[in-house]
Amino acid sequence: MNGIQEAFASAVEWIKTQKSQFSLEAHPKQDVTRLSFYKPLGELLMTLIVLRRSGVAAQFVEEYSNWAWNEVGTGSQLEELLLLRQDLWAATIMYGWFRELGFYSPRVERAVRYVYRTDLYQSQAIVYYRRLEVEVALQYLHGRALGPEICDSTQINAMPEPWAVSEDVAYTTTHEVFYVTDFGKRPELLRPHIKNYLLLWLPVWLDVFRSAGHWDIFGELLTVANILGARDIFTHHCPHFLQVQLGNGVFPGPTPPRPPLGTEKEWDRSFFLDNYHTTMIGLIALAPHVRGGR
Amino acid sequence: MGNINVEIGSAYESFLRSEEALFFDQMNSQRTLLPWNTVVDAAINARLTGRPFGPSARKVLGVSLYKAQEDGAIPDGQAIFAQIIASSLLGKSEAQPASGVNDVGGDLNSLGRGLALGIAFSGIDARRTIIISMRAACALSYQGNIADAVDALLPAAVLLPRTSCSDRPVMLKGMAQFLAYFEACTDLFNSSRAKWTAKAAELLLAIP
């Protein structure tokens, strides 16, 4: 089993070897207006932001941020997506991440502002944490800080029965924490009762998803522990996470391993899709504990 | 508040007496090592009846627990509490749970009874005991093991009304949720313990 330093470094190395899988070139051109086309790249951006804030893997962050900006044609591909598919409001988030990483395009920004103003976005039934994600991304554009009132419509504000946790409930919980606090940048936005609720039940949920072998949620819950400043919870549970890391640096995703089928290229693609998210969550969870970070 | 505590204590005592023999009187004259679960029962009953152990009994009980631990007779889920109680009985400095506060794994089926140890003596960290109790009840409820979940929740149900801490409102909310759930489960699991705990819910909910 690797220690935190080694586990983090080997996960970064695996992500580096997957550049072609994150690339938009990996998709057929006719898929250009499908959001799934952009999902891994968008999540890579989010990971880079957290690593940069933690002050770790600086060279990797800089190189891959620049590469990602070029992948989207320094913004032109995002502008096209936003104006061709205005229902894909989630694309506005991706530009928000780029903005936080220091990139800027007035044309994309104009498209984002348009999509945000549409009656469709304003009226669309959207899971609340997704709307939160948009709000967080947009604050990078207009520079207006969000307040703790963004907690009011969350699921965690209602403090649901803790034993009723399921995949959906857990993902909603973790994502609400991520977006309310902007991935730990502003932990004070979590109202005190929510923080106490999470601190009380987090260890149980970690045990539940450890027993289930659901390392994706487990990694997200470890990240929540970081955001809450619960070092004891992180320290107690992190070894389980380190123990399941594969030799190539991958943190295994929730999909059970499958036998190699199809061509080598197809197999590589399915292995990437099954595991990239959990591996990046691993990076996010470990980053604050890497030596040399902030 | 005082009346509520008395009612809960009384209900808890009745509950214990109905399920376990009362060993207190025998304990004070006992000179040999005792089974660890006998010590547990004695400790709980001593606490509830307010009748303290004499020095000899304390030694027998404490040594019995230590010996049982050494022999591996105490299930993992209860060992940490046994250690605390043994230390307390023998007059040693209070042993705080070094681990286990965040860990609800291990022998969950026996954890509920082990947790009851935590309330048996003063000096036990009430807040930590409540947290362990509620987390164990949560894990057991998640597994659908309602009867053991009720057991696990007992220490929290007893301690919470008389414990003040900043996260108490969240604990009370959790307690109310548990008890509503147990009440709803009463018929499904045909559990008199669930019914008892549901009664405690009404009392707890009445606390300002």
Side-chain angles (χ1 to χ4, degrees):
Chain A
M1 181 178 82
N2 281 326
I4 286 177
Q5 313 298 323
E6 297 78 17
F8 180 84
S10 67
V12 168
E13 286 309 309
W14 184 76
I15 293 290
K16 283 182 183 173
T17 65
Q18 302 301 306
K19 193 186 249 184
S20 64
Q21 300 289 354
F22 286 106
S23 172
L24 301 182
E25 296 298 321
H27 303 271
K29 281 295 174 198
Q30 63 269 27
D31 284 353
V32 71
T33 56
R34 288 175 57 177
L35 193 62
S36 59
F37 186 99
Y38 298 87
K39 188 170 181 286
L41 190 64
E43 287 166 340
L44 175 64
L45 295 176
M46 195 179 69
T47 306
L48 295 172
I49 287 172
V50 175
L51 300 194
R52 193 170 79 155
R53 288 177 184 167
S54 300
V56 293
Q59 195 179 340
F60 167 66
V61 171
E62 186 182 349
E63 181 187 335
Y64 276 70
S65 300
N66 288 322
W67 172 79
W69 184 237
N70 285 322
E71 273 299 292
V72 297
T74 62
S76 61
Q77 204 155 328
L78 283 181
E79 181 191 16
E80 185 181 346
L81 174 67
L82 285 162
L83 296 178
L84 290 178
R85 289 290 306 272
Q86 292 136 50
D87 57 322
L88 296 182
W89 44 266
T92 61
I93 296 162
M94 199 164 168
Y95 179 69
W97 300 138
F98 273 121
R99 189 68 199 271
E100 176 70 350
L101 284 166
F103 300 98
Y104 173 67
S105 160
R107 287 173 53 167
V108 184
E109 205 136 311
R110 188 172 57 198
V112 167
R113 290 180 196 282
Y114 165 71
V115 169
Y116 184 68
R117 282 198 314 268
T118 58
D119 293 321
L120 178 65
Y121 173 75
Q122 295 297 332
S123 62
Q124 204 169 6
I126 301 171
V127 175
Y128 185 68
Y129 72 76
R130 289 291 174 211
R131 201 175 280 277
L132 267 180
E133 191 178 11
V134 176
E135 296 294 331
V136 169
L138 286 171
Q139 75 176 346
Y140 301 140
L141 273 65
H142 51 51
R144 191 174 65 238
L146 299 169
E149 67 280 357
I150 59 167
C151 291
D152 293 349
S153 299
T154 58
Q155 176 184 282
I156 48 177
N157 188 51
M159 300 190 286
E161 287 78 357
W163 62 87
V165 70
S166 63
E167 273 190 35
D168 284 346
V169 171
Y171 275 124
T172 300
T173 300
T174 56
H175 284 70
E176 286 180 349
V177 174
F178 295 163
Y179 300 134
V180 165
T181 65
D182 191 1
F183 282 89
K185 189 178 180 184
R186 299 190 62 202
E188 75 279 5
L189 289 189
L190 278 179
R191 293 194 190 278
H193 72 276
I194 296 176
K195 187 176 177 187
N196 285 336
Y197 168 77
L198 295 168
L199 286 171
L200 181 58
W201 302 120
L202 198 52
V204 184
W205 299 332
L206 280 159
D207 273 348
V208 163
F209 290 101
R210 173 178 56 77
S211 299
H214 200 310
W215 302 107
D216 200 62
I217 293 177
F218 189 90
E220 294 200 359
L221 292 170
L222 281 180
T223 304
V224 171
N226 288 336
I227 291 171
L228 297 174
R231 199 175 179 90
D232 58 333
I233 295 177
F234 178 89
T235 304
H236 187 80
H237 291 273
C238 183
H240 299 298
F241 197 48
L242 299 181
Q243 206 154 23
V244 298
Q245 189 181 30
L246 305 180
N248 57 3
V250 163
F251 284 101
T255 309
R258 31 186 153 184
L261 291 172
T263 65
E264 190 178 341
K265 192 177 171 188
E266 288 166 341
W267 163 245
D268 286 348
R269 184 67 184 163
S270 75
F271 185 84
F272 169 79
L273 291 175
D274 287 348
N275 300 297
Y276 82 91
H277 185 269
T278 309
T279 303
M280 292 202 295
I281 284 296
L283 289 176
I284 290 172
L286 300 180
H289 305 275
V290 171
R291 275 195 301 273
R294 279 189 274 275
Chain B
M1 182 83 173
N3 287 338
I4 290 168
N5 286 338
V6 168
E7 281 191 61
I8 291 176
S10 173
Y12 185 58
E13 186 179 0
S14 303
F15 166 73
L16 288 171
R17 282 174 193 268
S18 68
E19 298 225 338
E20 314 280 357
L22 185 60
F23 294 100
F24 179 80
D25 290 335
Q26 292 90 327
M27 287 308 99
N28 269 336
S29 59
Q30 188 71 41
R31 289 292 180 273
T32 54
L33 293 182
L34 299 166
W36 70 271
N37 50 350
T38 302
V39 178
V40 173
D41 294 331
I44 292 171
N45 286 315
R47 171 76 174 196
L48 289 170
T49 58
R51 297 169 66 186
F53 294 114
S56 301
R58 291 174 71 90
K59 187 173 180 185
V60 170
L61 293 167
V63 171
S64 296
L65 277 182
Y66 269 126
K67 185 72 173 56
Q69 262 192 288
E70 278 178 16
D71 295 346
I74 305 180
D76 289 345
Q78 309 191 30
I80 187 68
F81 293 98
Q83 187 193 345
I84 295 169
I85 299 300
S87 298
S88 175
L89 283 166
L90 295 175
K92 297 188 175 182
S93 59
E94 181 68 34
Q96 290 295 330
S99 64
V101 171
N102 298 321
D103 187 3
V104 292
D107 188 359
L108 283 173
N109 287 338
S110 61
L111 186 58
R113 194 149 179 267
L115 284 164
L117 279 164
I119 66 166
F121 286 87
S122 58
I124 303 297
D125 185 328
R127 181 177 166 275
R128 297 181 86 167
T129 306
I130 292 169
I131 288 173
I132 298 169
S133 168
M134 294 186 77
R135 285 178 181 167
C138 180
L140 289 160
S141 296
Y142 176 81
Q143 294 167 9
N145 187 348
I146 305 302
D148 284 329
V150 173
D151 269 356
L153 195 63
L154 288 176
V158 173
L159 284 174
L160 197 49
R162 53 182 126 165
T163 303
S164 65
C165 48
S166 61
D167 47 0
R168 188 171 182 268
V170 169
M171 293 172 172
L172 279 173
K173 162 98 178 180
M175 183 63 72
Q177 288 173 326
F178 270 121
L179 300 174
Y181 180 51
F182 293 158
E183 187 175 23
C185 289
T186 300
D187 291 336
L188 183 62
F189 295 98
N190 191 25
S191 169
S192 60
R193 279 182 294 177
K195 199 168 185 176
W196 176 86
T197 314
K199 175 65 182 167
E202 294 173 23
L203 302 172
L204 283 165
L205 289 172
I207 297 169

